Amino acid sequence: MCGITGWVDWETDLRTRERTVRAMTETLACRGPDADGVWLSKYAALGHRRLSVIDLDGGVQPLRDLPLPRAVISYNGELYNYRELRAELRALGHEFRTASDTEVVLRAHVQWGDQAPRRFNGIFAYALWDTRREELLLVRDHLGIKPLYWHAHRSGVLFGSEPKAVLANPLFRAELDAEGIAELFALPAAPTAGHGLFRGLHEVRPGTVVTVGRSATRQSAYWALESQPHTDDPATTRETVRALLADSVERQLLSDVPLCTLLSGGVDSSAITALAAGARERAGQGKVTSFSVDFPGSEERTPDAWRTTLDAPYVQAAAEHIGTRHTSVVVPDDDMLDARDAVLRARDRPGWGEMDASLHLLFREVRRHSTVALSGEAADEIFGGYPYFHDARALAADTFPWLHGRTTPAALLRPEVRAEVRPDEYTAEAYRRSLAEVPRLDGETGPDRRLREVFHLALTRWLPPLLDRVDRVSMSVGLEVRVPFCDHRLVEYLWNVPWHLKSPGGRSKGLLRDAVRDLLPPQVTDRPKSGYPSTPAVRYSEVLTARAHELLADPQAPVFDLVDRDVVRRALAEGRPLPSPRTAPNPIGGLDHLIQVDEWLRAYRVGLR
């Protein structure tokens, strides 16, 4: 994986702005610790930081199409079908100077133009400058696994893998307007597609190409889900799911550097690990290396609807059955407190507090041994594993189902801020727009119609912040995380599989469990859904509470330009938890969010509009 950035300007000779372009590029050093490079022309400049994974010696970027400089690319990602495309392009007369997938992407655009992304299977976000048309293409993968942000200024655009790269250019200022406040406080668990939180900052939407020309900037989707009848019987459906998932895993084992899996003991990550082990055995390679996370005192944690069981016993059962070289990374609470600033800098926004901190520490330890890790992320979104898929009241609610019955941090806003932001109206409008995007199936009614809506909401509003979290936290330590369940072919197929086949007999993710049952021990295959674990540590909560009291005593605390100080003071005095941005139960989630917002406003010098 890598970091990309750049600048297009029709009124400035960017050949004289190398220092600024290098400053933008340097902000992404954590994403690409192995090499860097910039390319400058009159109207366009590209920057690149490289994490070497494939073709360690030949994949230097930005990469030009030679001998004729028809296009230049700065690329972040992995193209899992690049060998097939390389052979096809060779047959069409293309000659290759490197063994990298980057050059395949570049030459695919030379051959097929903006239709090239339709042929790709992988995770990617890249910028391509067409020297003949003097146009910039910003392209993001089908599910939005790799991030890409852009900002339109008066005479062009700025872009980068992360907001920090755009912020390094003096043309962009860190500001928060009413929409950004609503996103941060009312919709932290359902962010608007394409919204970059900062005023004037956008994300390239998944499956989309943004074309920047001298006269206009336009967006076009090259991929979207299509609804059609599912005609396969149950056995064929199971076999197809198994085949697609196995092929996805095998493709994603491609690497010239050490690779591992993230194993939580759930059916999702265990299936990925087992399929990876089988593929490596067939290839005559060694055992899979796997990692999990745990906390001191975790055995004392009280189960809840989101975290039903402890991971450790299931991790051990899966690792022993599959035969992995396994390591459990134990994360003390003091380490998580120390990691908070690093996580904030990684995400460029308030995140999920201790869950982000522990993930950062897990990834930091994994990176000592591997450069690439396979994760079970997204299985719950495509198979319907979350509690809200099975909660009749949540499904019937006229809002995002995971927000049903919940109070968001918007309840903390000062009255005058709330009047300006109108968080309830903003949420209702966001929900209405999201439903309008659902591709309908003719004749579908009742529960099936509603569940199709919920699956689409899960894929377009729930999954993106999870993928963003994994990418930003992993890349902050130079670790590439791959997500086989996000293979767009598997997602396309499952999109049209009806609920009774996804959840046979009412069993959550029954289709997945049946498809991989022969690979895993029964207790792992049938383990109920249990979310990413949270720390049971008392000290973490105590330190946050002390910091919150310090904020209340600080008359200059910027968070109270947005949040009602008296509401927070009363809640702390009465021992009531503050509303959390996360849907999973967490008594300190709201406190974490409050403190992170203040830290973010200070660290990024965010202005309020």
Side-chain angles (χ1 to χ4, degrees):
M1 270 327 120
C2 304
I4 69 170
T5 189
W7 182 2
V8 169
D9 200 314
W10 308 110
E11 298 180 2
T12 300
D13 187 343
L14 295 181
R15 292 171 295 189
T16 68
R17 297 293 190 269
E18 180 175 355
R19 179 177 297 180
T20 300
V21 176
R22 288 198 178 277
M24 296 169 69
T25 304
E26 188 59 27
T27 66
L28 303 173
C30 61
R31 297 186 69 92
D34 297 328
D36 69 330
V38 300
W39 176 85
L40 304 172
S41 68
K42 184 174 183 179
Y43 300 125
L46 303 181
H48 189 267
R49 290 291 314 201
R50 187 183 185 210
L51 175 66
S52 302
V53 174
I54 294 175
D55 189 13
L56 305 187
D57 297 324
V60 177
Q61 295 189 52
L63 184 66
R64 290 176 291 169
D65 175 42
L66 296 175
L68 297 176
R70 292 170 291 186
V72 185
I73 190 171
S74 185
Y75 173 79
N76 167 32
E78 301 293 348
L79 202 62
Y80 303 131
N81 64 336
Y82 84 97
R83 288 174 171 170
E84 298 97 305
L85 289 174
R86 181 187 179 95
E88 185 177 355
L89 288 163
R90 276 180 181 258
L92 291 169
H94 289 265
E95 296 181 0
F96 289 83
R97 296 179 291 115
T98 76
S100 70
D101 56 340
T102 303
E103 189 175 8
V104 171
V105 174
L106 176 63
R107 296 193 178 278
H109 271 278
V110 171
Q111 179 67 38
W112 297 304
D114 57 9
Q115 298 301 303
R118 296 177 181 272
R119 298 171 175 265
F120 297 160
N121 178 287
I123 53 179
F124 49 82
Y126 59 90
L128 184 140
W129 175 250
D130 188 317
T131 60
R132 296 166 297 180
R133 296 183 180 182
E134 293 188 335
E135 282 187 341
L136 176 74
L137 302 183
L138 299 175
V139 187
R140 197 170 179 205
D141 62 60
H142 303 71
L143 273 295
I145 300 161
K146 292 289 107 182
L148 184 53
Y149 294 83
W150 63 283
H151 164 69
H153 60 86
R154 186 181 62 83
S155 55
V157 299
L158 309 171
F159 64 88
S161 294
E162 299 180 3
K164 57 174 64 70
V166 180
L167 286 164
N169 190 301
L171 291 175
F172 184 73
R173 295 181 60 190
E175 294 180 332
L176 198 63
D177 59 13
E179 281 192 3
I181 295 169
E183 291 288 324
L184 187 59
F185 284 87
L187 286 175
T192 300
H195 200 293
L197 190 61
F198 291 104
R199 178 176 177 266
L201 188 66
H202 311 279
E203 270 196 284
V204 178
R205 295 189 63 169
T208 297
V209 178
V210 175
T211 304
V212 180
R214 184 185 293 269
S215 60
T217 296
R218 62 186 186 276
Q219 302 183 52
S220 58
Y222 68 84
W223 180 82
L225 291 168
E226 297 180 1
S227 295
Q228 51 191 326
H230 181 79
T231 58
D232 290 346
D233 60 28
T236 303
T237 301
R238 287 193 303 273
E239 292 166 2
T240 303
V241 167
R242 170 65 171 268
L244 285 169
L245 183 58
D247 183 68
S248 176
V249 171
E250 187 163 5
R251 286 175 180 270
Q252 296 188 30
L253 292 176
L254 182 65
S255 175
D256 293 335
V257 293
L259 178 146
C260 68
T261 69
L262 305 175
L263 180 62
S264 71
V267 66
D268 312 338
S269 63
S270 299
I272 297 299
T273 302
L275 289 167
R280 288 178 64 88
E281 183 179 359
R282 290 191 298 275
Q285 299 169 337
K287 289 184 176 182
V288 168
T289 299
S290 60
F291 292 87
S292 63
V293 66
D294 204 354
F295 306 93
S298 61
E299 65 279 358
E300 301 171 7
R301 185 179 59 80
T302 302
D304 57 51
W306 286 82
R307 303 180 188 93
T308 55
T309 52
L310 296 176
D311 284 351
Y314 297 93
V315 169
Q316 182 178 355
E320 290 179 353
H321 184 88
I322 299 167
T324 74
R325 294 189 297 266
H326 185 75
T327 300
S328 177
V329 179
V330 179
V331 178
D333 54 331
D334 282 347
D335 288 0
M336 287 196 296
L337 288 165
D338 293 340
R340 285 174 54 83
D341 184 64
V343 170
L344 180 66
R345 296 290 183 174
R347 299 199 65 177
D348 293 328
R349 60 171 296 160
W352 296 351
E354 51 92 7
M355 292 179 67
D356 288 349
S358 65
L359 192 67
H360 170 82
L361 294 168
L362 168 64
F363 286 162
R364 190 178 69 181
E365 181 60 28
V366 171
R367 182 62 176 89
R368 299 182 196 276
H369 310 276
S370 297
T371 308
V372 177
L374 269 60
S375 168
E377 209 76 48
D380 289 302
E381 286 79 7
I382 61 177
F383 287 97
Y386 288 113
Y388 58 76
F389 280 101
H390 306 270
D391 184 338
R393 292 174 300 175
L395 293 175
D398 189 24
T399 188
F400 299 101
W402 50 87
L403 295 183
H404 169 66
R406 294 189 63 255
T407 301
T408 69
L412 301 177
L413 293 174
R414 294 169 54 161
E416 66 272 25
V417 176
R418 189 177 182 87
E420 181 72 19
V421 172
R422 296 182 293 179
D424 294 338
E425 294 178 32
Y426 189 89
T427 300
E429 176 61 17
Y431 179 65
R432 185 195 65 78
R433 290 197 309 268
S434 297
L435 286 186
E437 295 178 356
V438 179
R440 304 292 181 179
L441 181 63
D442 290 343
E444 192 170 52
T445 60
D448 287 337
R449 178 183 174 89
R450 177 54 178 165
L451 281 162
R452 186 176 293 274
E453 292 177 346
V454 173
F455 270 105
H456 200 267
L457 295 174
L459 287 168
T460 59
R461 300 302 291 261
W462 174 277
L463 181 60
L466 298 181
L467 294 176
D468 180 75
R469 168 181 179 251
V470 169
D471 173 85
R472 302 287 285 282
V473 177
S474 64
M475 293 307 297
S476 71
V477 297
L479 176 70
E480 175 186 313
V481 174
R482 299 176 179 177
V483 280
F485 282 109
C486 282
D487 188 303
H488 71 276
R489 301 167 304 160
L490 178 62
V491 174
E492 286 172 347
Y493 184 78
L494 284 165
W495 168 248
N496 287 304
V497 174
W499 179 247
H500 72 275
L501 291 180
K502 285 179 180 170
S503 186
R507 291 179 295 125
S508 175
K509 291 192 292 190
L511 173 57
L512 174 61
R513 298 179 195 279
D514 292 343
V516 299
R517 187 168 296 278
D518 61 307
L519 299 175
L520 305 170
Q523 66 268 40
V524 173
T525 306
D526 297 319
R527 181 190 181 190
K529 166 66 183 175
S530 193
Y532 183 85
S534 62
T535 175
V538 174
R539 174 164 164 72
Y540 190 90
S541 177
E542 291 175 343
V543 170
L544 290 190
T545 302
R547 289 185 183 178
H549 283 291
E550 291 172 2
L551 281 184
L552 287 170
D554 180 0
Q556 304 300 319
V559 70
F560 292 118
D561 291 336
L562 298 173
V563 169
D564 191 318
R565 193 185 298 260
D566 290 335
V567 171
V568 174
R569 182 180 289 114
R570 286 195 300 270
L572 290 180
E574 297 168 7
R576 290 185 287 108
L578 299 179
S580 172
R582 307 199 297 267
T583 53
N586 190 307
I588 61 172
L591 203 59
D592 229 340
H593 186 254
L594 176 79
I595 295 168
Q596 276 206 358
V597 171
D598 187 81
E599 292 170 342
W600 175 68
L601 292 171
R602 295 176 194 258
Y604 284 74
R605 300 179 182 178
V606 181
L608 301 178
R609 293 287 291 254

